Amino acid sequence: MAEAVGVVGGGIMGSGIAEVAARNGCDVVIREVDATACDASRHRIERSLDKAVRVGKLTEAERDDAAGRLRYVTGFEEFADRDLVIEAVVEDEALKAEIFRTVGKVTAARGTLLASNTSSIPIMRLAAVTEDPERVIGMHFFNPVPVLPLVELIPSLLTSAETMERARAFAADRLGKHTVVGKDRAGFVVNALLIPYLLAAIRMVETGFATVEDVDVAMVSGCAHPMGPLALADLIGLDTTAAVANSMYAEFKEPLYAPPPLLLRMVEGGRLGRKSGQGFYPY
Ligand code: CAA
């Protein structure tokens, strides 16, 4: 049976999650704040579906079927009949908590599984604002979602075994992703390793130890990474990178998680990476 999925947020991650769910037969509703944001999400997904056809990962008929399973809405009431809702808005704890409060109420009768794609905010803080925290879990996808096969599953102390199994089955059996399970600590598994690495690369540039290009060439050519850390920070978004670092620093108080001043200045100046046209590189 096709699952009915809701996605809150049609940015890079929300659109990617919605696209992959639709490609795997789910009926998907994406909620954005207004019609302009809905259009931006639709265009982002159409571009990615077209690319999937170009690189031979989808037929034209499969692309059209997937596009036909996606609906773009501005209200939360459309989530009342969903089996699963995944929140994928910016890394703003107050905003996410407000969304969980609202979606929790709208879906209470159905017992919908509620997931957050947060990169670093403890799941308990989002579960705690709902009336039934046992149906809340972290499901953390990776950018670009249609390409990268990992989903981190993060149960909070209150997540039920049934919620955990439903989330695993959706990610692994329905979407065909690899899953790993992490504890409910800021950063989970991947960002606990990735963020200190990205911040170390930014500090190297900030102190003049090496150029942006040399840092990236070193890791691509010397360690066979698909892209260097500064190009990767631009892909993730420098605002997201800083937000994740801040959450992890707030959680552990370890200097290795503290965002370097250069990163903060770039974010304050609107240099957010690929999405703004300028980060460590121009786009
Ligand atoms: N749908 C399906 N498949 C697609 C696709 C699409 N829309 N677009 C590309 N692909 C496939 C291609 O067919 C190709 O597949 P094969 O390897 O089978 O040939 C593969 O994806 C690579 O595509 P491209 O050749 O177009 O792109 P590339 O080789 O330049 O790679 C990249 C681009 C995928 C971004 C690669 O550089 C990469 O993997 N970089 C690392 C990204 C990464 O680490 N992301 C994680 C960030 S952390 C995060 O997201 C979470 C967080 O909390 C911060």
Side-chain angles (χ1 to χ4, degrees), residues 47-78:
R47 272 199 309 276
S48 179
L49 289 171
D50 286 342
K51 177 159 186 194
V53 172
R54 266 199 323 279
V55 298
K57 295 282 156 71
L58 283 185
T59 64
E60 290 188 2
E62 286 166 340
R63 173 197 59 195
D64 296 344
D65 284 350
R69 283 193 282 267
L70 290 153
R71 266 189 305 131
Y72 303 82
V73 304
T74 54
F76 283 108
E77 59 285 356
E78 309 266 358

Side-chain angles (χ1 to χ4, degrees), residues 85-138:
V85 173
I86 304 173
E87 167 278 313
V89 303
V90 290
E91 289 292 282
D92 175 332
E93 189 177 324
L95 175 65
K96 284 181 189 283
E98 187 51 40
I99 288 167
F100 271 79
R101 205 171 285 122
T102 305
V103 177
K105 287 196 182 107
V106 170
T107 58
R110 193 174 172 89
T112 298
L113 189 156
L114 303 182
S116 175
N117 179 57
T118 179
S119 305
S120 61
I121 295 168
I123 302 306
M124 183 65 86
R125 303 215 189 123
L126 306 177
V129 303
T130 68
E131 275 160 33
D132 30 16
E134 61 280 357
R135 62 186 170 105
V136 176
I137 191 166

Side-chain angles (χ1 to χ4, degrees), residues 31-279:
R31 188 267 173 190
E32 254 300 351
V33 287
D34 57 26
T36 308
C38 286
D39 283 347
S41 175
R42 183 183 293 107
H43 288 138
R44 189 174 271 130
I45 294 176
E46 282 171 0
R47 272 199 309 276
S48 179
L49 289 171
D50 286 342
K51 177 159 186 194
V53 172
R54 266 199 323 279
V55 298
K57 295 282 156 71
L58 283 185
T59 64
E60 290 188 2
E62 286 166 340
R63 173 197 59 195
D64 296 344
D65 284 350
R69 283 193 282 267
L70 290 153
R71 266 189 305 131
Y72 303 82
V73 304
T74 54
F76 283 108
E77 59 285 356
E78 309 266 358
F79 288 151
D81 68 349
R82 303 287 95 185
D83 302 312
L84 160 68
V85 173
I86 304 173
E87 167 278 313
V89 303
V90 290
E91 289 292 282
D92 175 332
E93 189 177 324
L95 175 65
K96 284 181 189 283
E98 187 51 40
I99 288 167
F100 271 79
R101 205 171 285 122
T102 305
V103 177
K105 287 196 182 107
V106 170
T107 58
R110 193 174 172 89
T112 298
L113 189 156
L114 303 182
S116 175
N117 179 57
T118 179
S119 305
S120 61
I121 295 168
I123 302 306
M124 183 65 86
R125 303 215 189 123
L126 306 177
V129 303
T130 68
E131 275 160 33
D132 30 16
E134 61 280 357
R135 62 186 170 105
V136 176
I137 191 166
M139 288 183 78
H140 185 211
F141 292 76
F142 292 83
N143 178 19
V145 183
V147 179
L148 293 188
L150 183 68
V151 175
E152 289 181 308
L153 298 175
I154 325 294
S156 83
L157 288 174
L158 303 179
T159 303
S160 70
E162 187 205 339
T163 295
M164 181 67 185
E165 173 48 24
R166 282 172 68 192
R168 188 213 59 74
F170 177 74
D173 304 341
R174 166 65 66 176
L175 304 186
K177 299 285 190 188
H178 301 306
T179 57
V180 295
V181 180
K183 283 254 188 291
D184 190 17
R185 303 283 183 276
F188 316 133
V189 177
V190 170
N191 281 330
L193 296 168
L194 180 64
I195 292 295
Y197 161 65
L198 299 183
L199 299 183
I202 295 169
R203 281 189 206 103
M204 281 187 127
V205 171
E206 181 163 48
T207 57
F209 187 87
T211 63
V212 168
E213 291 75 13
D214 281 355
V215 169
D216 278 358
V217 166
M219 294 312 290
V220 172
S221 305
C223 294
H225 287 198
M227 64 207 309
L230 301 160
L232 180 54
D234 276 355
L235 175 75
I236 292 168
L238 300 186
D239 51 344
T240 303
T241 303
V244 176
N246 276 324
S247 290
M248 295 175 69
Y249 185 68
E251 177 102 321
F252 298 108
K253 313 289 186 296
E254 296 277 6
L256 83 164
Y257 300 126
L262 173 61
L263 175 63
L264 298 175
R265 289 306 95 76
M266 289 176 78
V267 173
E268 289 156 5
R271 294 192 165 185
L272 307 182
R274 280 196 194 196
K275 62 184 160 191
S276 74
Q278 178 72 52

